[in-house]
């Protein structure tokens, strides 16, 4: 019996190691198939849509628990790794999960830990980590103390690390890098000091920086400088690149979404549109040169970054096939653009707002000056948290609907630094009533086809599938599946905490899994039964 | 309350959860509904005046 157990142990270990030692074919980053989830959004499009149908609207009630993994910082772990705010990767049966300063490799079939890497931190803001990137046998992730780190997927050993920002200026690393060809694209975080946002590219082999693109101009004469009053304002103008980029390989354009300008609330010393903050920007990933921009929130004064995912849609407009990009922005407006040149096709509210007077000739909202923050206060909707925030939306080509968890909330915005040269925030908002719902938006018109209210709120990320399902966190610390066509609630499972990331799905051994993070725990569900006939 | 269950704590202190279904009708009465509706119409000047008045009550 002992020998049998020993033999089994050796076989199991061999299988485990084989799974962990297999890298990821870089060519599959463009078309990853259904057996992998190899990047933050699953593929370059940002759609978070899976063609898998083994879990569908006809059999979802048979979905069952496969395994649970609770974040384990290890025996030497000195810091609580916090919540799972990142999207795990799944490649060749191995899942790569992150939290600030931590990476775990897990067996995607069982949830067993294969290896764990802990970064010895020098500090930084540990608010969350959005995930890792993979290329071949290499893994990449950011740390709160401003490093881009590469690990070997075989054993989690460090290959190299490179400083990507200045910890002393209160930058930090939280963004999930994205691999595009021989570039590791890394954004930066931080909005406590008035420092410029940027995004940069690194060589996957050596870690050396290839280029850096500043969101805000750094000197007079640069593109966008005309939208700032002076060089000092633009050099301290913010615009962090909080979120992973999306990418069109055919156009070789990557779509960067940028943060709000600084100072955040008090704004008298940054008159102008403040380009290229709060924008969707198309860059060439080989050079970092800008192709075009669209500013979702010109001269923002409400902390509404526009870093919500720029989702690529290959659709039709007026009967013509078009390459499109869509965003449900934090300011409450939905935009549909031609992604070849940034021209707006649709601009529309996806929740009712009160801060804009309409749209300009480019389709960009025109702020109402009366709804800028005031010393005596201005009632504004959405509130500072926004109509949407960082949790990712999803788009289903099957239904033609863009799904986003939205909040309609009011707050009063105040200025508390009325001077001529405010810094930092210089104001704030005080919140009031709000309500949360999932909005299903017809991408061609921007109109909300259906709205599913969350009693008690939800800000979870989303996943849609060809099984006519949308997965989301619900209002009761649960994972919920809605009918993607109608918004009807079909199934839920109670978790130990609210969903804190975006769910993913993949197929292994003929079984479809759905995996979601809730607080410090990763939950894996699987459909064990044969696919049922669709209703 | 969510899409699947309604939980009540009655005046007696009793705690009950009712599973929602076709036979269960749920009517939610929000005593603050009129306040929420006011958010659509109240002006900033009215808010400033209200706050100024409340300050006089100290």
């Amino acid at each position: 019996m002992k020998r049998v157990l020993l033999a089994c142990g050796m076989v199991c270990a061999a299988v485990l190691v084989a799974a962990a030692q297999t890298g990821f074919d870089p060519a599959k980053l463009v078309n990853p198939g259904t057996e992998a989830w190899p990047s933050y959004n699953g593929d370059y499009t940002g759609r978070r849509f899976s063609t898998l149908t083994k879990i569908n609207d006809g059999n979802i009630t048979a979905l069952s628990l496969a395994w649970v993994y609770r974040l384990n910082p290890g025996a030497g772990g000195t810091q609580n790794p916090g919540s799972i705010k990142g999207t795990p990767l799944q490649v060749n049966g191995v899942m790569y999960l992150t939290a600030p300063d931590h990476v775990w490799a897990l067996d995607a079939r069982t949830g067993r830990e294969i290896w764990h890497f802990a970064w010895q931190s020098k500090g930084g803001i540990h608010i969350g980590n959005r995930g890792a990137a993979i290329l071949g046998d290499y893994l990449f992730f950011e740390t709160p103390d401003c490093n881009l780190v590469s690990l070997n997927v075989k054993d989690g050993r460090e290959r190299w690390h490179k400083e990507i920002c200045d910890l002393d200026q209160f930058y930090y690393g939280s963004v999930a890098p994205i691999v595009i060809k021989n570039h590791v694209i890394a954004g930066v975080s931080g909005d406590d000091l008035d420092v410029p946002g940027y995004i940069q590219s690194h060589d996957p082999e050596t870690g050396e920086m290839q280029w850096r693109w500043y969101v805000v101009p750094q000197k007079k004469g640069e593109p966008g400088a005309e939208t700032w009053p002076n060089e000092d304002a633009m050099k301290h103008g913010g615009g962090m690149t909080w979120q992973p980029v999306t990418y069109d390989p055919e156009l070789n354009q990557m779509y960067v979404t940028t943060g709000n300008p600084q100072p955040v609330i008090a704004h008298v010393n940054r008159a102008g549109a403040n380009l290229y903050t709060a924008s969707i920007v198309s860059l060439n990933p080989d050079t970092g040169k800008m192709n075009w921009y669209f500013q979702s929130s010109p001269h923002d004064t409400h902390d509404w970054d526009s870093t919500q995912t720029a989702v690529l849609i290959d659709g039709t407009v007026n009967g013509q096939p078009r390459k499109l990009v869509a965003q449900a922005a934090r300011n409450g407006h939905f935009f549909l653009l031609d992604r070849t040149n940034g021209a707006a096709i649709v601009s529309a509210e996806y929740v009712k707002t009160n801060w804009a007077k309409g749209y300009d000739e480019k389709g960009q909202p025109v702020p109402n000056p009366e709804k800028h923050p005031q010393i005596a206060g201005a009632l504004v909707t959405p509130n500072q948290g926004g109509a949407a925030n960082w949790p990712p939306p999803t788009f289903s080509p099957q239904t033609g609907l863009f799904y986003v968890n939205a909040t309609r909330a009011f707050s009063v915005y105040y200025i508390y630094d009325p001077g001529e040269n405010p810094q930092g925030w210089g104001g704030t908002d005080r919140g009031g009533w709000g309500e949360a719902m999932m909005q299903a938006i017809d991408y061609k018109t921007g109109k909300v086809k259906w709205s599913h209210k969350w009693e008690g709120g939800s800000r979870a990320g989303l996943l849609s599938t060809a099984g006519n399902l949308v997965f989301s966190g619900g209002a009761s610390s649960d994972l919920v599946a809605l009918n993607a066509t109608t918004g009807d609630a079909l199934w839920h499972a109670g978790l130990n905490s609210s969903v804190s990331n975006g769910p993913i799905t993949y197929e292994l051994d003929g079984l479809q899994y759905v995996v979601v993070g809730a607080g410090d725990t990763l939950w894996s569900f699987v459909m064990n039964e044969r696919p049922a006939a669709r209703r | 309350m969510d899409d699947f269950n309604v939980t009540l704590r009655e005046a007696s202190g009793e705690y009950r959860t009712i599973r929602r279904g076709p036979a269960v009708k749920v009517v939610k009465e929000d005593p603050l509904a009129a306040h929420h509706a006011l958010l659509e119409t109240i002006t900033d000047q009215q808010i400033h005046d209200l706050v100024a008045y409340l300050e006089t009550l100290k």
Side-chain angles (χ1 to χ4, degrees), chain A residues 352 371 376-379 408 410 433 452 454-455 476 489 491-492, chain B residues 1-5 19 28 30 36 39-40 42 44 47-48 51:
Chain A
K352 189 178 178 184
K371 291 302 181 183
L379 181 67
R408 184 165 192 249
F410 291 77
W433 173 84
H452 185 95
W454 300 116
E455 299 282 354
S476 300
W491 169 91
H492 79 145
Chain B
M1 183 167 80
D2 60 28
D3 292 306
F4 304 92
N5 298 295
R19 187 157 184 85
K28 181 181 173 184
D30 183 355
H36 301 159
L39 288 165
E40 308 289 353
I42 195 168
D44 289 336
I47 293 174
H48 301 161
V51 172

Side-chain angles (χ1 to χ4, degrees), chain A residues 42-59:
Chain A
D43 62 23
Y44 283 134
T45 69
R47 294 173 198 157
R48 287 179 175 255
F49 171 80
S50 171
T51 57
L52 288 171
T53 58
K54 289 187 174 174
I55 302 170
N56 58 58
D57 56 354
N59 67 3

Side-chain angles (χ1 to χ4, degrees), chain A residues 100-139:
Chain A
D101 294 329
H102 295 273
V103 183
W104 294 266
L106 309 176
D107 185 326
R109 293 173 174 86
T110 66
R112 291 194 187 96
E113 188 176 304
I114 299 170
W115 54 254
H116 167 234
F117 174 85
W119 173 255
Q120 297 304 306
S121 178
K122 295 177 180 174
I125 296 176
H126 284 64
I127 195 170
N129 183 285
R130 301 288 179 235
I134 191 168
L135 178 68
D137 292 332
Y138 310 150
L139 207 64

Side-chain angles (χ1 to χ4, degrees), chain A residues 197-447:
Chain A
Y198 55 85
I199 191 165
Q200 57 193 39
S201 174
H202 290 258
D203 185 315
E205 291 292 339
T206 66
E208 294 303 315
M209 190 172 80
Q210 297 166 322
W211 53 258
R212 173 182 287 185
W213 180 77
Y214 277 98
V215 172
V216 289
Q218 293 300 286
K219 59 184 178 184
K220 287 183 178 177
E222 289 185 1
E226 69 280 4
T227 66
W228 296 83
N230 54 57
E231 202 167 279
D232 183 65
M234 67 178 82
K235 289 176 72 172
H236 296 89
M240 291 301 143
T241 48
W242 300 91
Q243 291 296 317
V245 302
T246 52
Y247 174 61
D248 183 328
E250 288 183 4
L251 297 174
N252 197 33
Q253 292 189 26
M254 71 175 198
Y255 304 94
V256 182
T257 53
T258 67
N260 53 279
Q262 304 245 167
V264 179
I265 303 296
H267 57 101
V268 295
N269 56 349
R270 55 173 176 85
N274 305 145
L275 292 172
Y276 296 94
T277 65
S279 300
I280 301 171
V281 180
S282 165
L283 297 185
N284 181 320
D286 299 318
T287 64
K289 303 296 183 187
M290 186 173 73
N291 299 306
W292 55 259
Y293 77 93
F294 175 89
Q295 195 171 32
S296 310
S297 279
H299 190 77
D300 172 66
T301 58
H302 301 100
D303 192 28
W304 294 331
D305 61 56
S306 288
T307 58
Q308 294 65 50
T309 308
V311 180
L312 310 191
I313 298 173
D314 295 325
T316 56
V317 176
N318 297 326
Q320 298 298 314
R322 299 284 292 270
K323 279 180 168 286
L324 307 166
V325 57
Q327 181 190 54
R330 184 163 165 171
N331 63 19
H333 292 258
F334 173 84
F335 304 104
L336 182 72
L337 314 177
D338 181 325
R339 72 173 181 265
T340 68
N341 57 22
I345 297 168
V346 173
S347 300
E349 289 179 328
Y350 64 93
V351 293
K352 189 178 178 184
T353 73
N354 74 349
W355 63 274
K357 296 194 294 185
Y359 300 103
D360 65 16
E361 68 281 359
K362 294 181 67 176
Q364 302 171 155
V366 178
N368 180 352
E370 294 180 359
K371 291 302 181 183
H372 285 320
Q374 313 286 340
I375 293 175
L379 181 67
V380 177
T381 183
N383 66 358
Q384 190 184 119
N389 207 291
W390 69 265
T394 182
F395 171 77
S396 167
Q398 191 174 66
T399 62
L401 296 174
F402 183 110
Y403 307 90
V404 60
N405 267 334
T407 300
R408 184 165 192 249
F410 291 77
S411 63
V412 179
Y413 275 79
Y414 296 98
I415 293 286
Y416 56 62
D417 183 348
E420 295 180 354
N421 192 27
Q423 297 178 24
W425 284 62
T428 193
D429 75 324
R430 283 293 175 264
W433 173 84
E435 61 182 353
M437 71 291 287
M438 187 191 297
Q439 304 289 68
I441 305 167
D442 180 345
Y443 79 92
K444 294 181 182 179
T445 64
K447 293 182 178 176

Side-chain angles (χ1 to χ4, degrees), chain A residues 129-248:
Chain A
N129 183 285
R130 301 288 179 235
I134 191 168
L135 178 68
D137 292 332
Y138 310 150
L139 207 64
F140 310 92
F141 76 104
E142 295 187 7
T143 67
D145 62 3
C146 278
N147 282 280
L148 177 66
V149 182
S150 179
L151 307 180
N152 197 318
V153 298
K154 295 177 183 176
D155 50 19
R157 291 190 179 181
E158 182 181 328
R159 298 176 57 237
W160 51 254
H161 67 268
K162 297 292 178 182
E163 188 173 286
I164 58 171
C165 49
D166 185 351
L167 189 59
D168 291 338
Q169 294 188 61
F170 277 52
Y171 287 100
Y172 62 98
S174 69
V175 187
I178 296 293
V179 171
I180 297 175
K181 298 187 282 188
N182 67 329
H183 311 293
V184 182
I185 308 296
V188 291
S189 307
D191 60 355
D192 288 310
L193 296 182
D194 298 332
V195 291
Y198 55 85
I199 191 165
Q200 57 193 39
S201 174
H202 290 258
D203 185 315
E205 291 292 339
T206 66
E208 294 303 315
M209 190 172 80
Q210 297 166 322
W211 53 258
R212 173 182 287 185
W213 180 77
Y214 277 98
V215 172
V216 289
Q218 293 300 286
K219 59 184 178 184
K220 287 183 178 177
E222 289 185 1
E226 69 280 4
T227 66
W228 296 83
N230 54 57
E231 202 167 279
D232 183 65
M234 67 178 82
K235 289 176 72 172
H236 296 89
M240 291 301 143
T241 48
W242 300 91
Q243 291 296 317
V245 302
T246 52
Y247 174 61
D248 183 328

